[in-house]
Amino acid sequence: MLIEPRGGDAEDDASSTKTHSLLAIAGTLLGEINLPKLALAWIILALVPGILLGVAPLVVTAWYDDVADRILALAGIGPVLVLAGLAAIGWFGLRPLLRAVERSFWSLISLAVQPGYVLAREGMRHLAERFLPAGASEASRARLRGLTAVAAGLGAALIALAITAAVWPATRWSGEVADLAYPLRLVRPALANTIAVMSAYFAGAALLWGIADGTMDQPRDLERFDEVASSDRVWRVAHLSDIHVVGERYGFRIESGRAGPRGNDRLALVLARLAAIHATAPLDLVLISGDMTDAGRSAEWSEFLDALGRYPDLAALTLVLPGNHDVNIVDRANPARLELPGSPGKRLRQMRTLSVTEAVQGGRVHVVDKTAGRIGPTLSDRLAPHRAAIAAFADAGGLRLSRGLSAIWEASFPMVLPPAQPDGLGVVLLNSNAETHFSFTNALGLVAEEDMQAMLAALAQYPRARFVVALHHHPVEYPQQAKAFSERIGTALINGSRFVRLLKPQAHRLVAMHGHRHVDWIGRCGPLRIVSAPSPVMEATHDEPTAFYIHRLGVRADGGLALMAPERIEIGPTPAVETAGASLRP
């Protein structure tokens, strides 16, 4: 056979970061992008909000001068009371609006601030670390990371302020009634206003972000593991992540292409090994911290459920949470494809993920009642009234049937597995995926503020318990040496500094576990211990072993959570591709 189809070909490597550089992949995508759809998405997401932002002060001041004074005089109330009333209505009656504002705020951060800031920060670190002595201490490296974060924020802020100063003479912040009759007059000052506001916002956000990153506890390798008496309670947690199930027998993953294992054979080996371990040394939990599938397709979820269903004892212990490949990949075959805001495609991937999550753990995990600030019903009970609506949408699709499903998705997180005893071990499962509409930006991470507050409420409900806080994205970039600059650009949580700071007061009874980067790392940010899971599937060719860990958690003498030395489980190579085609020759 001239070409062995079971081994794949160049098409399988189109989006593989193992065989192509990020620059090469980006160049390929530019040739495939639907330009009219990209232009429309840019208009919806950037141009229209930008123009509205610039024209708003002109219209508002014109209206205020002409109408507001007379209305307020007749009513006998002042502007402060009007604003206070509107704020009260917004706070108590428009909760979804507040969430949308927060999402838009962080989306703007991720699009306008993060790329420039992260490139500056990691570029400075990459250069500075080359001049560190070989035996530099962890403290020295931590100080360097903090200083480069502040310097990057300051540098980005100065550039943005220079742009603000350059366009300031063209800005105009007050309007007249006559302007409303000739709106074209407002185009130039509105655009100048937009640039000024956006660049000033960029300056403030970059500076604050740099200071927040620089003053937080910097990540360090974990110096030592805890030890507990053999008679003490120990929980065994198998931590898997990024298994990227595909829906074809000989399918290859988006990122690894032919450099990764064929099909799902490696996952089958992982589950078989786990089942054998559980039979001799029982596990307490099997945590899969996201990216169960390669692109959130129905066929991939079917393969995942079939694989897990072969081991019912493991399935009864398994907890899953969504990864970016489960909900944010627009088109596995064409990463250049994008979705318009409001497209039902993303909602369908979310509902698939939620459906599988409910099937795996719906009767064991609870959602948090965010209004009451307490753990509420089980996920299955929470979704029961919406089953018909979700099923109808999955069957027919469409914008009309997708209405309201976004709120169902958001209300389902965080999920909590309560501890069996008041001083036992519980698990909080977070959704850390940001809203994106383009496969090439699918990996952005964000935990909503409302979800973080719900997480704290759940932790407060069990003050004597220990918890695993699980999410998909890494909270911060890790202090690992990188040979190439491209290795340094990750996709940590946009609000990771906030996440780490919120958990710091309770860090003695917590451990954070995540996936996403496929990095084998155990470390800490101050007192908060962080465990990053390697992928037992993605990081190997056919003839190389992969690994995962079984973590042992116990009770420390001070009542906190002990993180003991884990057990590393290596998985042998998947079988080589058969050359059965030779037998087809006459």
Side-chain angles (χ1 to χ4, degrees), residues 268-294:
L269 293 175
V270 169
L271 294 177
R273 185 70 179 277
L274 262 181
I277 292 171
H278 181 58
T280 57
L283 299 167
D284 293 280
L285 287 172
V286 178
L287 172 65
I288 308 180
S289 53
D291 281 1
M292 283 72 69
T293 66
D294 205 40

Side-chain angles (χ1 to χ4, degrees), residues 33-41:
I33 289 175
N34 183 317
L35 294 179
K37 185 180 283 189
L38 178 62
L40 181 57

Side-chain angles (χ1 to χ4, degrees), residues 367-523:
V367 298
V368 178
D369 184 334
K370 295 174 182 175
T371 302
R374 293 187 60 81
I375 295 175
T378 65
L379 178 63
S380 294
D381 290 340
R382 173 66 178 81
L383 295 178
H386 309 290
R387 288 182 183 276
I390 294 172
F393 168 67
D395 182 58
L399 284 172
R400 181 180 63 84
L401 293 175
S402 71
R403 292 173 184 168
L405 298 185
S406 174
I408 295 173
W409 170 259
E410 292 170 355
S412 298
F413 298 95
M415 301 176 191
V416 180
L417 178 69
Q421 299 84 29
D423 59 350
L425 179 70
V427 183
V428 177
L429 304 168
L430 295 167
N431 171 32
S432 60
N433 295 285
E435 290 281 337
T436 67
H437 306 281
F438 183 39
S439 288
F440 202 55
T441 59
N442 74 82
L444 297 175
L446 167 71
V447 178
E449 179 68 22
E450 188 178 39
D451 288 0
M452 288 196 286
Q453 294 302 324
M455 170 189 67
L456 295 179
L459 297 177
Q461 198 167 335
Y462 294 92
R464 296 170 52 205
R466 295 93 187 167
F467 276 90
V468 173
V469 176
L471 67 165
H472 182 59
H473 293 75
H474 48 304
V476 294
E477 299 295 349
Y478 297 140
Q480 295 180 315
Q481 294 294 318
K483 295 180 181 179
F485 179 63
S486 60
E487 297 176 13
R488 307 189 69 100
I489 305 302
T491 47
L493 286 182
I494 300 170
N495 56 346
S497 172
R498 172 74 170 162
F499 176 82
V500 171
R501 292 173 191 272
L502 284 177
L503 289 182
K504 183 176 180 178
Q506 304 187 62
H508 67 286
R509 65 184 184 115
L510 308 175
V511 61
M513 292 187 174
H514 70 83
H516 190 47
R517 282 297 300 275
H518 312 171
V519 170
D520 187 345
W521 186 78
I522 301 177

